[in-house]
Coordinates of all heavy atoms in Angstrom, one line a residue:
M141 N 1.5 -37.6 -11.7 CA 1.7 -39.0 -11.3 C 2.3 -39.9 -12.4 O 2.0 -39.8 -13.5 CB 0.3 -39.5 -10.9 CG 0.2 -40.9 -10.4 SD -1.5 -41.2 -9.8 CE -2.1 -42.2 -11.2
R142 N 3.2 -40.7 -12.0 CA 3.9 -41.5 -13.0 C 3.6 -43.0 -12.6 O 4.0 -43.4 -11.4 CB 5.3 -41.3 -13.2 CG 5.6 -39.8 -13.3 CD 7.1 -39.6 -13.6 NE 7.4 -39.8 -15.0 CZ 8.7 -39.6 -15.5 NH1 9.6 -39.2 -14.6 NH2 9.0 -39.8 -16.7
T143 N 3.1 -43.8 -13.4 CA 2.8 -45.2 -13.1 C 3.8 -46.2 -13.7 O 4.2 -46.0 -14.8 CB 1.4 -45.6 -13.6 OG1 0.4 -44.7 -13.1 CG2 1.0 -47.0 -13.1
C144 N 4.5 -47.0 -12.8 CA 5.4 -47.9 -13.3 C 4.8 -49.0 -14.0 O 3.9 -49.7 -13.6 CB 6.1 -48.4 -12.0 SG 7.4 -49.6 -12.4
S145 N 5.4 -49.2 -15.2 CA 4.9 -50.4 -16.1 C 5.3 -51.7 -15.5 O 4.8 -52.7 -16.0 CB 5.3 -50.2 -17.5 OG 6.7 -50.3 -17.6
K146 N 6.3 -51.7 -14.7 CA 6.8 -53.1 -14.2 C 6.0 -53.5 -12.9 O 5.7 -54.6 -12.8 CB 8.3 -52.9 -13.8 CG 9.2 -52.8 -15.0 CD 10.6 -52.7 -14.5 CE 11.5 -52.8 -15.7 NZ 11.6 -54.1 -16.4
C147 N 5.7 -52.6 -12.0 CA 5.0 -53.0 -10.8 C 3.7 -52.3 -10.5 O 3.1 -52.6 -9.5 CB 6.0 -52.8 -9.6 SG 6.2 -51.1 -9.1
N148 N 3.4 -51.3 -11.4 CA 2.1 -50.6 -11.3 C 2.1 -49.6 -10.0 O 1.0 -49.1 -9.8 CB 0.9 -51.6 -11.1 CG 0.1 -51.7 -12.4 OD1 0.1 -50.7 -13.2 ND2 -0.5 -52.8 -12.6
A149 N 3.1 -49.3 -9.4 CA 3.1 -48.4 -8.3 C 3.1 -47.0 -8.9 O 3.6 -46.7 -10.1 CB 4.4 -48.5 -7.5
S150 N 2.5 -46.1 -8.2 CA 2.4 -44.6 -8.6 C 3.5 -43.9 -7.9 O 3.5 -43.8 -6.7 CB 1.0 -44.1 -8.4 OG 0.1 -44.8 -9.1
S151 N 4.2 -43.1 -8.7 CA 5.2 -42.2 -8.1 C 4.8 -40.8 -8.5 O 4.2 -40.5 -9.5 CB 6.6 -42.6 -8.6 OG 6.9 -43.9 -8.5
P152 N 5.3 -39.7 -7.6 CA 5.0 -38.4 -7.9 C 5.6 -37.9 -9.4 O 6.5 -38.6 -9.9 CB 5.8 -37.5 -6.9 CG 6.0 -38.5 -5.8 CD 6.1 -39.9 -6.4
D153 N 5.0 -36.9 -9.9 CA 5.4 -36.4 -11.3 C 6.9 -36.2 -11.4 O 7.4 -36.4 -12.5 CB 4.7 -35.0 -11.6 CG 3.3 -35.3 -12.1 OD1 2.9 -36.4 -12.2 OD2 2.8 -34.2 -12.5
D154 N 7.5 -35.7 -10.4 CA 9.0 -35.4 -10.5 C 9.9 -36.5 -10.2 O 11.1 -36.3 -10.1 CB 9.3 -34.1 -9.7 CG 8.9 -34.3 -8.2 OD1 8.5 -35.4 -7.9 OD2 9.0 -33.3 -7.5
S155 N 9.4 -37.7 -10.0 CA 10.3 -38.9 -9.6 C 11.0 -39.3 -10.9 O 10.3 -39.3 -11.9 CB 9.5 -40.0 -9.1 OG 8.5 -39.7 -8.2
Q156 N 12.2 -39.8 -10.7 CA 12.9 -40.2 -11.9 C 12.9 -41.8 -11.9 O 13.0 -42.4 -12.8 CB 14.4 -39.8 -11.9 CG 14.5 -38.3 -12.0 CD 13.9 -37.7 -13.3 OE1 14.1 -38.3 -14.3 NE2 13.1 -36.7 -13.1
T157 N 12.8 -42.3 -10.7 CA 12.7 -43.8 -10.5 C 11.5 -44.1 -9.7 O 10.9 -43.4 -8.9 CB 13.9 -44.3 -9.8 OG1 14.1 -43.6 -8.5 CG2 15.1 -44.1 -10.6
C158 N 11.0 -45.4 -9.9 CA 9.8 -45.9 -9.2 C 10.1 -46.0 -7.7 O 11.0 -46.5 -7.3 CB 9.5 -47.3 -9.8 SG 8.2 -48.2 -8.9
I159 N 9.1 -45.5 -6.9 CA 9.3 -45.5 -5.5 C 9.2 -46.9 -4.9 O 9.7 -47.2 -3.8 CB 8.1 -44.7 -4.8 CG1 6.7 -45.1 -5.2 CG2 8.3 -43.3 -5.0 CD1 5.6 -44.7 -4.4
N160 N 8.7 -47.9 -5.7 CA 8.6 -49.3 -5.3 C 9.8 -50.2 -5.8 O 10.5 -50.7 -5.0 CB 7.4 -49.8 -5.7 CG 7.1 -51.3 -5.2 OD1 7.3 -51.6 -4.0 ND2 6.6 -52.1 -6.1
C161 N 9.9 -50.2 -7.1 CA 10.9 -51.2 -7.6 C 12.2 -50.5 -8.2 O 13.1 -51.2 -8.7 CB 10.3 -52.1 -8.7 SG 10.0 -51.2 -10.3
K162 N 12.2 -49.1 -8.1 CA 13.4 -48.3 -8.6 C 13.6 -48.4 -10.1 O 14.6 -48.1 -10.5 CB 14.6 -48.8 -7.8 CG 14.5 -48.8 -6.3 CD 14.5 -47.5 -5.7 CE 14.5 -47.6 -4.2 NZ 13.4 -46.7 -3.6
A163 N 12.6 -48.9 -10.8 CA 12.7 -48.8 -12.3 C 12.9 -47.4 -12.8 O 12.4 -46.4 -12.2 CB 11.6 -49.5 -12.9
D164 N 13.7 -47.2 -13.8 CA 13.9 -45.9 -14.4 C 12.6 -45.4 -15.1 O 12.2 -46.0 -16.1 CB 15.0 -45.9 -15.4 CG 15.3 -44.5 -16.0 OD1 14.5 -43.6 -15.7 OD2 16.3 -44.4 -16.8
L165 N 11.9 -44.5 -14.5 CA 10.6 -44.0 -15.1 C 10.6 -43.3 -16.4 O 9.7 -43.2 -17.2 CB 9.8 -43.2 -14.1 CG 9.4 -43.9 -12.8 CD1 8.8 -43.0 -11.9 CD2 8.3 -45.0 -13.2
N166 N 11.9 -42.8 -16.7 CA 12.0 -42.2 -18.1 C 12.0 -43.3 -19.1 O 11.9 -43.0 -20.4 CB 13.4 -41.4 -18.2 CG 13.3 -40.2 -17.2 OD1 12.2 -39.5 -17.1 ND2 14.4 -39.8 -16.6
E167 N 12.1 -44.5 -18.7 CA 12.0 -45.6 -19.7 C 10.9 -46.5 -19.4 O 10.2 -47.0 -20.4 CB 13.4 -46.4 -19.5 CG 13.7 -47.3 -20.7 CD 15.0 -48.0 -20.7 OE1 15.9 -47.4 -19.9 OE2 15.2 -49.0 -21.3
F168 N 10.5 -46.7 -18.2 CA 9.5 -47.6 -17.8 C 8.1 -47.2 -17.3 O 7.3 -48.0 -16.8 CB 10.0 -48.7 -16.8 CG 11.2 -49.5 -17.4 CD1 12.5 -49.3 -17.0 CD2 10.9 -50.4 -18.5 CE1 13.5 -50.0 -17.5 CE2 12.0 -51.2 -19.1 CZ 13.3 -51.0 -18.7
S169 N 7.9 -45.8 -17.3 CA 6.6 -45.4 -16.9 C 5.6 -45.9 -18.0 O 5.9 -46.0 -19.1 CB 6.6 -43.9 -16.6 OG 6.5 -43.2 -18.0
T170 N 4.3 -46.0 -17.6 CA 3.4 -46.5 -18.6 C 3.2 -45.5 -19.7 O 3.0 -46.0 -20.9 CB 1.9 -46.8 -17.9 OG1 1.6 -45.5 -17.2 CG2 1.9 -48.0 -17.0
T171 N 3.3 -44.2 -19.4 CA 3.2 -43.3 -20.5 C 4.3 -43.3 -21.5 O 4.2 -43.3 -22.7 CB 3.1 -41.8 -20.0 OG1 4.1 -41.6 -19.1 CG2 1.7 -41.6 -19.4
T172 N 5.5 -43.5 -21.0 CA 6.7 -43.7 -21.9 C 6.7 -44.9 -22.6 O 6.9 -44.8 -23.9 CB 8.0 -43.7 -21.0 OG1 8.0 -42.7 -20.0 CG2 9.2 -43.5 -21.8
V173 N 6.3 -46.0 -22.1 CA 6.2 -47.3 -22.8 C 5.1 -47.1 -23.8 O 5.2 -47.6 -25.0 CB 5.9 -48.4 -21.8 CG1 5.5 -49.7 -22.5 CG2 7.0 -48.6 -20.9
T174 N 3.9 -46.5 -23.5 CA 2.8 -46.3 -24.5 C 3.3 -45.5 -25.6 O 3.0 -45.9 -26.8 CB 1.6 -45.8 -23.8 OG1 1.2 -46.6 -22.7 CG2 0.5 -45.6 -24.8
L175 N 3.9 -44.4 -25.4 CA 4.3 -43.5 -26.4 C 5.3 -44.2 -27.4 O 5.1 -44.0 -28.6 CB 5.0 -42.2 -25.8 CG 5.4 -41.2 -26.8 CD1 4.3 -40.6 -27.7 CD2 6.1 -40.1 -26.1
K176 N 6.1 -44.9 -26.8 CA 7.2 -45.7 -27.7 C 6.4 -46.6 -28.5 O 6.7 -46.7 -29.8 CB 8.1 -46.4 -26.7 CG 9.4 -46.9 -27.4 CD 10.5 -47.2 -26.5 CE 11.7 -47.8 -27.2 NZ 11.5 -49.2 -27.4
R177 N 5.5 -47.4 -28.0 CA 4.7 -48.3 -28.7 C 3.9 -47.7 -29.9 O 3.9 -48.2 -31.0 CB 3.8 -49.1 -27.8 CG 3.7 -50.6 -28.1 CD 2.7 -51.2 -27.1 NE 1.4 -50.5 -27.2 CZ 0.7 -50.3 -26.2 NH1 0.9 -50.8 -25.0 NH2 -0.5 -49.6 -26.2
L178 N 3.3 -46.6 -29.6 CA 2.4 -45.9 -30.5 C 3.3 -45.4 -31.7 O 2.9 -45.5 -32.9 CB 1.6 -44.8 -29.9 CG 0.6 -45.2 -28.8 CD1 -0.2 -44.0 -28.3 CD2 -0.3 -46.3 -29.3
R179 N 4.5 -44.8 -31.3 CA 5.3 -44.3 -32.4 C 5.8 -45.3 -33.3 O 6.0 -45.0 -34.4 CB 6.5 -43.4 -31.7 CG 6.2 -42.1 -31.3 CD 7.3 -41.4 -30.7 NE 7.1 -39.9 -30.6 CZ 7.6 -39.2 -29.8 NH1 8.5 -39.7 -28.8 NH2 7.4 -37.9 -29.7
E180 N 6.1 -46.4 -32.8 CA 6.6 -47.6 -33.6 C 5.6 -48.2 -34.5 O 5.8 -49.0 -35.3 CB 7.3 -48.6 -32.7 CG 8.7 -48.1 -32.2 CD 9.3 -49.0 -31.1 OE1 8.6 -50.0 -30.7 OE2 10.3 -48.7 -30.6
N181 N 4.3 -48.0 -34.1 CA 3.2 -48.7 -34.9 C 2.8 -47.9 -36.1 O 2.3 -46.8 -36.0 CB 2.0 -48.8 -33.9 CG 0.8 -49.6 -34.6 OD1 0.8 -49.8 -35.7 ND2 0.0 -50.1 -33.8
P182 N 3.1 -48.4 -37.3 CA 2.8 -47.7 -38.5 C 1.3 -47.4 -38.7 O 0.9 -46.5 -39.6 CB 3.3 -48.6 -39.7 CG 3.5 -49.9 -39.0 CD 3.6 -49.7 -37.5
R183 N 0.4 -48.1 -38.1 CA -1.0 -47.9 -38.2 C -1.5 -46.7 -37.5 O -2.6 -46.2 -37.7 CB -1.8 -49.1 -37.8 CG -1.7 -50.3 -38.8 CD -2.6 -51.4 -38.4 NE -4.1 -51.0 -38.4 CZ -4.9 -51.3 -37.5 NH1 -4.5 -52.0 -36.4 NH2 -6.2 -50.9 -37.5
V184 N -0.8 -46.3 -36.5 CA -1.1 -45.1 -35.7 C -0.7 -43.9 -36.4 O 0.5 -43.6 -36.8 CB -0.4 -45.2 -34.3 CG1 -0.7 -43.9 -33.5 CG2 -0.8 -46.4 -33.5
R185 N -1.7 -43.1 -36.8 CA -1.5 -41.9 -37.6 C -1.1 -40.7 -36.8 O -0.3 -39.8 -37.2 CB -2.8 -41.5 -38.3 CG -2.6 -41.7 -39.8 CD -3.9 -41.3 -40.6 NE -5.1 -41.2 -39.8 CZ -5.9 -40.2 -40.0 NH1 -5.9 -39.3 -40.9 NH2 -7.0 -40.2 -39.2
A186 N -1.7 -40.6 -35.6 CA -1.5 -39.5 -34.7 C -1.7 -39.9 -33.3 O -2.2 -41.0 -33.1 CB -2.4 -38.3 -35.1
I187 N -1.4 -39.0 -32.4 CA -1.6 -39.4 -31.0 C -2.4 -38.3 -30.3 O -2.1 -37.2 -30.4 CB -0.2 -39.6 -30.3 CG1 0.5 -40.7 -30.9 CG2 -0.4 -39.9 -28.8 CD1 2.0 -40.8 -30.5
R188 N -3.5 -38.8 -29.6 CA -4.4 -37.9 -28.9 C -4.1 -38.0 -27.4 O -3.8 -39.0 -26.9 CB -5.8 -38.3 -29.2 CG -6.9 -37.3 -28.6 CD -8.2 -37.6 -29.2 NE -8.5 -39.0 -29.4 CZ -9.1 -39.6 -30.3 NH1 -9.6 -39.0 -31.4 NH2 -9.4 -40.9 -30.3
L189 N -4.2 -36.8 -26.8 CA -4.0 -36.8 -25.3 C -5.3 -36.8 -24.7 O -6.3 -36.2 -25.2 CB -3.3 -35.5 -24.8 CG -1.8 -35.4 -25.0 CD1 -1.3 -34.2 -24.3 CD2 -1.1 -36.6 -24.5
T190 N -5.5 -37.7 -23.7 CA -6.7 -37.7 -22.9 C -6.4 -37.3 -21.5 O -5.3 -37.5 -21.0 CB -7.4 -39.1 -22.9 OG1 -6.4 -40.0 -22.4 CG2 -7.8 -39.6 -24.3
V191 N -7.4 -36.5 -20.9 CA -7.1 -36.1 -19.5 C -8.2 -36.6 -18.6 O -9.3 -37.0 -19.0 CB -7.1 -34.6 -19.5 CG1 -6.1 -33.9 -20.4 CG2 -8.4 -33.9 -19.7
A192 N -7.9 -36.6 -17.3 CA -8.9 -37.0 -16.3 C -9.9 -36.0 -16.2 O -9.7 -34.8 -16.6 CB -8.2 -37.2 -15.0
D193 N -11.2 -36.3 -15.7 CA -12.2 -35.4 -15.6 C -11.9 -34.1 -14.8 O -12.4 -33.1 -15.0 CB -13.5 -36.1 -15.0 CG -14.1 -37.0 -16.1 OD1 -13.9 -36.8 -17.2 OD2 -14.9 -37.8 -15.6
D194 N -11.1 -34.4 -13.8 CA -10.7 -33.2 -12.9 C -9.4 -32.8 -13.1 O -8.7 -32.3 -12.2 CB -11.0 -33.8 -11.4 CG -10.0 -34.9 -11.1 OD1 -9.5 -35.6 -12.0 OD2 -9.8 -35.2 -9.8
A195 N -8.9 -32.9 -14.3 CA -7.5 -32.4 -14.6 C -7.5 -30.9 -14.4 O -8.5 -30.2 -14.5 CB -7.3 -32.8 -16.1
C196 N -6.2 -30.4 -14.3 CA -6.0 -29.0 -14.0 C -6.1 -28.2 -15.4 O -6.1 -28.9 -16.4 CB -4.7 -28.6 -13.4 SG -3.4 -28.9 -14.6
P197 N -6.4 -26.9 -15.3 CA -6.5 -26.1 -16.5 C -5.4 -26.3 -17.5 O -5.6 -26.3 -18.7 CB -6.6 -24.6 -16.1 CG -7.0 -24.8 -14.6 CD -6.5 -26.1 -14.2
H198 N -4.2 -26.4 -17.0 CA -3.0 -26.6 -17.9 C -3.2 -27.8 -18.7 O -2.9 -27.8 -19.9 CB -1.7 -26.6 -17.0 CG -0.5 -26.8 -17.8 ND1 0.2 -25.8 -18.4 CD2 0.3 -27.9 -18.0 CE1 1.2 -26.3 -19.1 NE2 1.3 -27.5 -18.8
C199 N -3.5 -28.9 -18.1 CA -3.6 -30.1 -18.9 C -4.8 -30.1 -19.8 O -4.7 -30.6 -21.0 CB -3.9 -31.3 -17.9 SG -2.3 -31.7 -17.0
Y200 N -5.9 -29.4 -19.4 CA -7.1 -29.3 -20.4 C -6.7 -28.5 -21.6 O -7.0 -28.8 -22.7 CB -8.3 -28.6 -19.6 CG -9.3 -29.5 -19.2 CD1 -9.4 -29.8 -17.8 CD2 -10.0 -30.3 -20.1 CE1 -10.4 -30.6 -17.4 CE2 -11.0 -31.1 -19.6 CZ -11.1 -31.4 -18.2 OH -12.1 -32.2 -17.8
E201 N -5.9 -27.5 -21.4 CA -5.4 -26.7 -22.5 C -4.6 -27.5 -23.6 O -4.6 -27.1 -24.8 CB -4.5 -25.6 -22.0 CG -4.9 -24.1 -22.4 CD -4.1 -23.1 -21.7 OE1 -3.1 -22.9 -22.1 OE2 -4.7 -22.6 -20.7
L202 N -3.9 -28.5 -23.1 CA -3.1 -29.3 -24.0 C -3.8 -30.5 -24.6 O -3.2 -31.4 -25.2 CB -1.8 -29.7 -23.2 CG -1.0 -28.5 -22.8 CD1 0.1 -28.9 -21.8 CD2 -0.2 -27.9 -24.0
L203 N -5.1 -30.6 -24.3 CA -5.9 -31.7 -24.7 C -6.2 -31.5 -26.2 O -7.1 -30.8 -26.6 CB -7.3 -31.7 -23.9 CG -8.3 -32.7 -24.3 CD1 -7.8 -34.1 -24.0 CD2 -9.6 -32.4 -23.5
R204 N -5.6 -32.3 -27.1 CA -5.8 -32.3 -28.5 C -5.0 -33.4 -29.2 O -4.4 -34.2 -28.5 CB -5.5 -30.9 -29.0 CG -4.0 -30.6 -29.1 CD -3.7 -29.3 -29.8 NE -3.8 -28.2 -28.9 CZ -2.8 -27.5 -28.4 NH1 -1.6 -27.8 -28.7 NH2 -3.0 -26.6 -27.5
T205 N -5.2 -33.4 -30.4 CA -4.5 -34.5 -31.3 C -3.2 -34.0 -31.8 O -3.1 -32.8 -32.4 CB -5.3 -35.0 -32.4 OG1 -6.6 -35.5 -31.8 CG2 -4.7 -36.1 -33.1
Y206 N -2.2 -34.7 -31.6 CA -0.8 -34.2 -32.1 C -0.3 -35.2 -33.1 O -0.7 -36.4 -33.1 CB 0.2 -34.3 -30.9 CG -0.1 -33.3 -29.8 CD1 -0.9 -33.6 -28.8 CD2 0.4 -32.1 -29.7 CE1 -1.3 -32.8 -27.7 CE2 0.2 -31.2 -28.7 CZ -0.7 -31.5 -27.7 OH -1.0 -30.6 -26.7
S207 N 0.7 -34.7 -33.9 CA 1.4 -35.7 -34.8 C 2.3 -36.5 -33.9 O 2.6 -36.0 -32.8 CB 2.2 -34.9 -35.8 OG 3.2 -34.2 -35.3
K208 N 2.8 -37.6 -34.4 CA 3.7 -38.5 -33.6 C 5.0 -37.7 -33.1 O 5.5 -38.0 -32.0 CB 4.1 -39.7 -34.4 CG 3.1 -40.7 -34.5 CD 3.6 -41.8 -35.4 CE 2.8 -43.0 -35.5 NZ 3.4 -44.1 -36.2
E209 N 5.4 -36.8 -33.9 CA 6.7 -36.1 -33.6 C 6.4 -34.9 -32.6 O 7.3 -34.6 -31.8 CB 7.3 -35.5 -34.9 CG 7.8 -36.4 -35.9 CD 6.6 -37.1 -36.7 OE1 5.6 -36.4 -36.9 OE2 6.7 -38.3 -37.0
E210 N 5.2 -34.4 -32.6 CA 5.0 -33.2 -31.8 C 4.3 -33.4 -30.5 O 4.2 -32.5 -29.6 CB 4.1 -32.2 -32.6 CG 4.8 -31.5 -33.7 CD 3.9 -30.7 -34.6 OE1 2.6 -30.9 -34.4 OE2 4.3 -30.0 -35.4
V211 N 4.0 -34.7 -30.2 CA 3.2 -35.0 -29.0 C 4.2 -34.7 -27.8 O 5.3 -35.1 -27.7 CB 2.7 -36.5 -29.0 CG1 3.9 -37.5 -28.9 CG2 1.7 -36.7 -27.9
P212 N 3.6 -34.0 -26.8 CA 4.4 -33.6 -25.6 C 4.7 -34.9 -24.7 O 3.9 -35.7 -24.7 CB 3.6 -32.6 -24.9 CG 2.2 -32.8 -25.3 CD 2.2 -33.4 -26.7
V213 N 5.8 -34.7 -23.9 CA 6.1 -35.8 -23.0 C 5.2 -35.7 -21.8 O 5.0 -34.6 -21.3 CB 7.6 -35.7 -22.7 CG1 8.0 -36.7 -21.6 CG2 8.5 -36.0 -23.9
L214 N 4.7 -36.7 -21.3 CA 4.0 -36.8 -20.0 C 4.8 -37.3 -18.9 O 5.7 -38.0 -19.1 CB 2.8 -37.7 -20.2 CG 1.7 -37.2 -21.2 CD1 0.6 -38.3 -21.3 CD2 1.1 -35.9 -20.9
P215 N 4.6 -36.9 -17.7 CA 3.6 -36.0 -17.3 C 3.9 -34.5 -17.7 O 5.1 -34.1 -17.8 CB 3.7 -36.1 -15.7 CG 5.0 -36.6 -15.4 CD 5.4 -37.4 -16.5
H216 N 2.9 -33.7 -17.8 CA 3.0 -32.3 -18.2 C 3.8 -31.6 -17.2 O 3.5 -31.7 -16.0 CB 1.6 -31.6 -18.4 CG 0.9 -32.0 -19.6 ND1 -0.4 -32.6 -19.6 CD2 1.3 -32.0 -20.9 CE1 -0.7 -32.9 -20.8 NE2 0.2 -32.5 -21.7
E217 N 4.8 -30.8 -17.6 CA 5.7 -30.1 -16.6 C 5.0 -29.1 -15.8 O 5.2 -29.0 -14.6 CB 6.8 -29.5 -17.4 CG 8.1 -29.9 -16.9 CD 9.2 -29.4 -17.8 OE1 9.5 -28.2 -17.6 OE2 9.7 -30.1 -18.7
G218 N 4.0 -28.4 -16.3 CA 3.4 -27.3 -15.6 C 2.1 -27.7 -14.9 O 1.3 -26.9 -14.4
C219 N 1.9 -29.0 -14.6 CA 0.6 -29.5 -14.1 C 0.5 -29.0 -12.6 O 1.4 -29.0 -11.9 CB 0.6 -31.0 -14.1 SG -0.9 -31.7 -13.4
S220 N -0.7 -28.5 -12.3 CA -0.9 -28.0 -11.0 C -1.9 -28.8 -10.1 O -2.4 -28.4 -9.1 CB -1.5 -26.5 -11.1 OG -2.7 -26.5 -11.8
H221 N -2.3 -30.0 -10.5 CA -3.2 -30.8 -9.8 C -2.5 -31.4 -8.7 O -1.3 -31.8 -8.8 CB -3.8 -31.8 -10.7 CG -5.0 -32.6 -10.1 ND1 -4.8 -33.6 -9.2 CD2 -6.3 -32.4 -10.3 CE1 -6.1 -34.0 -8.9 NE2 -7.0 -33.2 -9.5
E222 N -3.2 -31.6 -7.5 CA -2.6 -32.1 -6.3 C -2.0 -33.5 -6.5 O -1.0 -33.9 -5.9 CB -3.5 -32.0 -5.1 CG -4.8 -32.8 -5.3 CD -5.7 -32.7 -4.0 OE1 -6.1 -31.6 -3.7 OE2 -6.0 -33.7 -3.5
N223 N -2.7 -34.3 -7.3 CA -2.2 -35.6 -7.6 C -1.3 -35.7 -8.8 O -0.9 -36.8 -9.2 CB -3.4 -36.6 -7.9 CG -4.2 -36.7 -6.6 OD1 -3.7 -36.7 -5.5 ND2 -5.5 -37.0 -6.8
G224 N -1.0 -34.5 -9.4 CA -0.1 -34.5 -10.6 C -0.8 -34.8 -11.8 O -2.0 -35.1 -11.9
C225 N -0.1 -34.8 -12.9 CA -0.6 -35.1 -14.2 C -1.1 -36.5 -14.4 O -0.2 -37.4 -14.2 CB 0.4 -34.6 -15.3 SG -0.1 -35.1 -16.9
R226 N -2.3 -36.7 -14.9 CA -2.7 -38.1 -15.1 C -3.2 -38.2 -16.5 O -4.1 -39.1 -16.8 CB -3.9 -38.5 -14.1 CG -3.4 -38.7 -12.7 CD -4.4 -38.4 -11.6 NE -4.8 -37.0 -11.9 CZ -6.1 -36.6 -11.6 NH1 -7.0 -37.5 -11.2 NH2 -6.4 -35.3 -11.8
C227 N -2.6 -37.4 -17.4 CA -3.0 -37.5 -18.8 C -2.4 -38.8 -19.4 O -1.5 -39.4 -18.9 CB -2.4 -36.3 -19.6 SG -3.0 -34.7 -19.0
F228 N -3.0 -39.2 -20.5 CA -2.6 -40.5 -21.2 C -2.6 -40.3 -22.7 O -3.3 -39.4 -23.2 CB -3.5 -41.6 -20.7 CG -2.9 -42.9 -20.6 CD1 -2.0 -43.1 -19.5 CD2 -3.0 -43.8 -21.6 CE1 -1.3 -44.3 -19.4 CE2 -2.3 -45.0 -21.5 CZ -1.4 -45.3 -20.4
Y229 N -1.9 -41.2 -23.3 CA -1.9 -41.2 -24.8 C -2.9 -42.2 -25.3 O -3.2 -43.2 -24.8 CB -0.5 -41.6 -25.3 CG 0.6 -40.7 -24.9 CD1 1.7 -41.3 -24.1 CD2 0.8 -39.5 -25.3 CE1 2.7 -40.5 -23.6 CE2 1.8 -38.7 -24.9 CZ 2.8 -39.2 -24.0 OH 3.9 -38.4 -23.7
E230 N -3.5 -41.7 -26.4 CA -4.5 -42.6 -27.1 C -4.2 -42.6 -28.6 O -4.0 -41.6 -29.2 CB -5.9 -42.0 -26.9 CG -7.0 -43.0 -27.0 CD -8.3 -42.3 -26.7 OE1 -8.8 -41.4 -27.5 OE2 -8.9 -42.6 -25.6
P231 N -4.2 -43.7 -29.2 CA -3.8 -43.8 -30.7 C -4.9 -43.3 -31.5 O -6.1 -43.6 -31.3 CB -3.5 -45.3 -31.0 CG -4.2 -46.0 -29.9 CD -4.3 -45.1 -28.7
V232 N -4.6 -42.6 -32.6 CA -5.5 -42.3 -33.7 C -5.1 -43.0 -34.8 O -4.1 -42.9 -35.5 CB -5.5 -40.7 -34.0 CG1 -6.4 -40.4 -35.1 CG2 -5.7 -39.8 -32.8
L233 N -6.0 -44.1 -35.1 CA -5.6 -45.0 -36.2 C -6.0 -44.5 -37.5 O -6.9 -43.6 -37.6 CB -6.3 -46.4 -35.9 CG -5.9 -47.0 -34.5 CD1 -6.7 -48.3 -34.3 CD2 -4.4 -47.3 -34.6
E234 N -5.4 -45.1 -38.5 CA -5.9 -44.9 -39.9 C -7.3 -45.1 -40.0 O -7.9 -45.8 -39.3 CB -5.2 -45.8 -40.9 CG -3.7 -45.4 -41.2 CD -3.0 -46.5 -41.9 OE1 -3.6 -47.1 -42.8 OE2 -1.8 -46.8 -41.5
D235 N -8.0 -44.5 -41.0 CA -9.4 -44.7 -41.2 C -9.7 -46.2 -41.3 O -9.3 -46.9 -42.2 CB -9.9 -44.0 -42.5 CG -11.4 -43.9 -42.4 OD1 -12.0 -44.9 -42.4 OD2 -11.9 -42.7 -42.5
T236 N -10.5 -46.7 -40.3 CA -10.6 -48.2 -40.2 C -12.1 -48.5 -40.7 O -12.5 -49.7 -40.7 CB -10.6 -48.6 -38.8 OG1 -11.4 -47.9 -37.9 CG2 -9.1 -48.5 -38.2
A237 N -12.8 -47.6 -41.4 CA -14.2 -47.8 -41.8 C -14.2 -49.0 -42.8 O -15.0 -50.0 -42.7 CB -14.8 -46.7 -42.4
I238 N -13.3 -49.0 -43.8 CA -13.4 -50.0 -44.8 C -13.0 -51.4 -44.3 O -13.6 -52.4 -44.5 CB -12.4 -49.6 -46.0 CG1 -12.9 -48.3 -46.6 CG2 -12.3 -50.8 -47.0 CD1 -11.9 -47.6 -47.4
V239 N -11.9 -51.3 -43.4 CA -11.4 -52.6 -42.8 C -12.5 -53.2 -41.9 O -12.8 -54.4 -42.1 CB -10.2 -52.3 -41.9 CG1 -9.8 -53.5 -41.2 CG2 -9.1 -51.6 -42.7
G240 N -13.3 -52.3 -41.2 CA -14.4 -52.8 -40.4 C -15.4 -53.5 -41.2 O -16.0 -54.5 -40.8
K241 N -15.7 -53.0 -42.4 CA -16.7 -53.5 -43.3 C -16.3 -54.9 -43.7 O -17.1 -55.9 -43.6 CB -16.9 -52.7 -44.5 CG -18.3 -52.2 -44.9 CD -18.3 -51.5 -46.1 CE -19.5 -50.6 -46.2 NZ -19.4 -49.7 -47.4
V242 N -15.0 -55.0 -44.1 CA -14.6 -56.3 -44.6 C -14.7 -57.4 -43.5 O -15.0 -58.5 -43.6 CB -13.1 -56.3 -45.1 CG1 -12.5 -57.6 -45.4 CG2 -13.1 -55.3 -46.3
A243 N -14.3 -56.9 -42.3 CA -14.3 -57.8 -41.1 C -15.8 -58.2 -40.7 O -15.9 -59.2 -40.0 CB -13.6 -57.2 -39.9
G244 N -16.7 -57.5 -41.2 CA -18.1 -57.9 -40.9 C -18.5 -57.6 -39.5 O -19.4 -58.2 -39.0
Ligands
LIG353 ZN1 8.0 -50.1 -10.2
LIG354 ZN1 -2.5 -31.1 -14.8
LIG355 ZN1 -1.4 -33.4 -17.9

């Protein structure tokens, strides 16, 4: 499943454009936009994949933390779930313990 960042419509994993507004999903899907943002953020040290509770075994297998360069493109190509891949990117930030202390 690919969610359009412009209109929020969901398109199948293999769609190249949004079924609603025709936006290019290789540029404007929420996962693509998120990945770009995380990669450009110097505070993001690594990127973790999160999966839905009922994700398929293929997606579960790929559930881990990746470096910014190695993180796989979503949706996962071999996903076998009937609704498609619903994995998401999550930032792993620099150690924020000290910063948190200062902020009180
Ligand atoms: Zn759209
Ligand atoms: Zn899957
Ligand atoms: Zn997946």
